[in-house]
Amino acid sequence: MAKAPILTPQADDFPRWYQDLIGKAELADNGPVRGTMVIRPYGYSLWERMQSEVDARIKDAGAQNAYFPMFIPENYLTREAEHVEGFSPELAVVTHGGGKKLEEPVVVRPTSETIINEYFSKWVQSYRDLPLLINQWANVVRWELRPRVFLRTTEFLWQEGHTAHISYEDARDYAARIHRHVYGEFMRDVLGIDVVLGRKTARERFAGAINTLTLEGMMGDGKALQMGTSHELGQNFAKAFNTQFLADSGEREYVWQTSWGVSTRMVGGLIMSHGDDNGLRIPPRLAPVQAVVMAIKGDDAVVEAVRALGDRLKAAGVRVVVDDKTDTPFGRRAVDWELKGVPIRLEIGPRDLEAGTAMLARRIAGGKSPVQLDGVVETVAAILEEDQALLLAQSAERRAARTVDVTSIGEAVEAAATGWGRISWADLGPEGEAKLAEQGVSVRCLVTADGEVPDADDQPGNIAIVARAY
């Protein structure tokens, strides 16, 4: 009798496969309060790598890290009407503290535009104080009705950038810089996901923004996942919080603002973009463990060779783990590493040692072959780069193969059953967008005919990308 698969096959039940993998790869557990999650060490190590890569890019863009309280006076949110209306259904509100009813309820941070603007209004006095570029790494709470680990949770981790600028043009250009060069380059070059960079429609725009730029990734089942956003806030929050500066003309003017963020949702996107029926496949540039060196048997010479090879790889800059736990069967250990998506396994037993080789297993490209121990470091380095490029190519190929041009709402809904549709925004428009929404299909973003980010919603030739989304 054939053994039952470790994971539910993707083709049988993609959501069940996703949940199986999160558990079997030891990424996370459900928290004690509905919609919360406990991120386990291996899952958190993926988030730490994402944090590190994104944080470096944010700092290169000139922003500095700070921290603001998670409790926000309720009256702050009510100052910007569209903002509070957009977030009201998701708010967690504290009404009692210290055994007493609070004089004014406080909101647990759903996002920080309001509280940060309260302080921007104190810190910005003159045009010399601008631009003011702030980022914070924090947790936020949005009461989620249909939770799914990493994708939609009541509490999640993220970074949120908030900036103030002298002019609309300066704010617009900075939001675009974050969108393309911080988020876009990270997602393509590190996560290996061929995201589409586009502009949200008015219906999908962030509450309180005048423009939202988005990054949409196609998952393994053809659905779309919003991987990150960058917003132009105009002067909406500046006017609500009286955030003004003295211009060089001597006149007082309101600042122009942006906000932007990515979250632990990226971990879910990573799983669903690259995972297969055997588990995760982690892009080498992101992988907390790029290679694992495994002792097949507890032979002293083998264990010594495994540890020596681990030291050589580490010295060469490879993130490596030595697995010499031979009291656990080799097959079980190999399956565990495969589930965790480690790009390379190097397996050494007594026969390999005699031959001066190791068996090299590639998680991303697949296959196993012997490699000479003398040249293994160079071989590993080359394979890591090959496999990084391969994941991006596979992501791009999937999106191209499962995206079709359509001309009607019916065709768009049909396309969204297995992938994405592209339809003229001039033909679809807000009325057509509303009809699509009734059937569970949304306009993920607008792009130009050649796939660039449009300057305006109504720019001639705009194409709407439509899909079912997580």
Side-chain angles (χ1 to χ4, degrees), residues 295-299 302-303 323-330 333:
I296 295 176
K297 292 185 177 180
D299 180 283
V302 167
V303 171
D323 181 352
D324 55 7
K325 298 177 181 178
T326 54
D327 54 341
T328 300
F330 171 78
R333 289 183 287 137

Side-chain angles (χ1 to χ4, degrees), residues 123-379:
W123 299 343
V124 174
Q125 302 299 324
S126 160
Y127 69 91
R128 297 183 182 87
D129 299 322
L130 299 172
L132 180 56
L133 313 175
I134 295 293
N135 176 64
Q136 78 165 343
W137 291 94
N139 62 337
V140 292
V141 170
R142 298 179 185 176
W143 215 257
E144 185 56 56
L145 298 179
R146 295 181 298 278
R148 184 172 294 178
V149 173
F150 288 121
L151 300 178
R152 291 187 177 276
T153 49
T154 296
E155 179 192 14
F156 56 90
L157 307 180
W158 76 346
Q159 61 73 212
E160 50 177 320
H162 299 269
T163 69
H165 303 260
I166 286 176
S167 67
Y168 161 74
E169 291 78 12
D170 194 42
R172 176 201 63 196
D173 292 349
Y174 195 79
R177 178 180 180 181
I178 295 294
H179 182 227
R180 183 171 299 276
H181 297 297
V182 174
Y183 296 159
E185 290 179 5
F186 164 72
M187 290 175 191
R188 286 174 173 160
D189 296 348
V190 180
L191 295 188
I193 300 175
D194 186 45
V195 290
V196 169
L197 279 67
R199 179 186 181 102
K200 286 289 190 185
T201 63
R203 180 188 182 97
E204 295 288 329
R205 193 179 294 154
F206 177 74
I210 63 171
N211 180 31
T212 290
L213 303 173
T214 184
L215 302 102
E216 302 287 331
M218 180 183 280
M219 303 296 99
D221 61 351
K223 288 185 179 180
L225 183 71
Q226 179 180 290
M227 300 283 291
T229 48
S230 182
H231 314 288
E232 297 171 36
L233 301 180
Q235 295 179 311
N236 291 342
F237 289 91
K239 290 177 179 177
F241 287 83
N242 198 33
T243 311
Q244 298 186 60
F245 67 98
L246 187 65
D248 57 3
S249 65
E251 299 292 321
R252 294 200 65 78
E253 298 179 8
Y254 290 105
V255 299
W256 296 83
Q257 293 183 272
T258 77
S259 67
W260 26 275
V262 293
S263 74
T264 39
R265 171 178 281 205
M266 291 193 297
V267 179
L270 177 78
I271 297 166
M272 294 193 297
S273 290
H274 300 316
D276 62 19
D277 286 347
N278 294 317
L280 296 168
R281 295 192 304 160
I282 307 297
R285 291 179 190 166
L286 178 78
V289 180
Q290 295 174 312
V292 56
V293 187
M294 301 182 67
I296 295 176
K297 292 185 177 180
D299 180 283
D300 288 346
V302 167
V303 171
E304 183 179 345
V306 162
R307 291 173 179 172
L309 179 54
D311 288 342
R312 286 171 56 202
L313 288 166
K314 185 176 180 180
V318 177
R319 294 187 289 277
V320 64
V321 165
V322 170
D323 181 352
D324 55 7
K325 298 177 181 178
T326 54
D327 54 341
T328 300
F330 171 78
R332 177 177 172 181
R333 289 183 287 137
V335 167
D336 284 346
W337 289 116
E338 188 167 55
L339 276 167
K340 286 182 165 63
V342 173
I344 290 175
R345 294 198 317 273
L346 291 159
E347 304 165 357
I348 300 178
R351 291 179 184 175
D352 301 298
L353 199 55
E354 269 186 46
T357 62
M359 186 60 70
L360 189 150
R362 295 176 66 169
R363 178 67 185 92
I364 294 165
K368 295 176 75 169
S369 59
V371 59
Q372 291 294 319
L373 287 173
D374 288 346
V376 72
V377 173
E378 293 77 11
T379 300

Side-chain angles (χ1 to χ4, degrees), residues 7 9 24 53 58 65 121 159 172 207 225 248 261 291 335 354 380 389 396 410 463:
L7 303 173
K24 295 291 177 61
E53 292 280 351
I58 288 171
N65 285 339
S121 67
Q159 61 73 212
R172 176 201 63 196
L225 183 71
D248 57 3
V335 167
E354 269 186 46
V380 165
I463 303 295

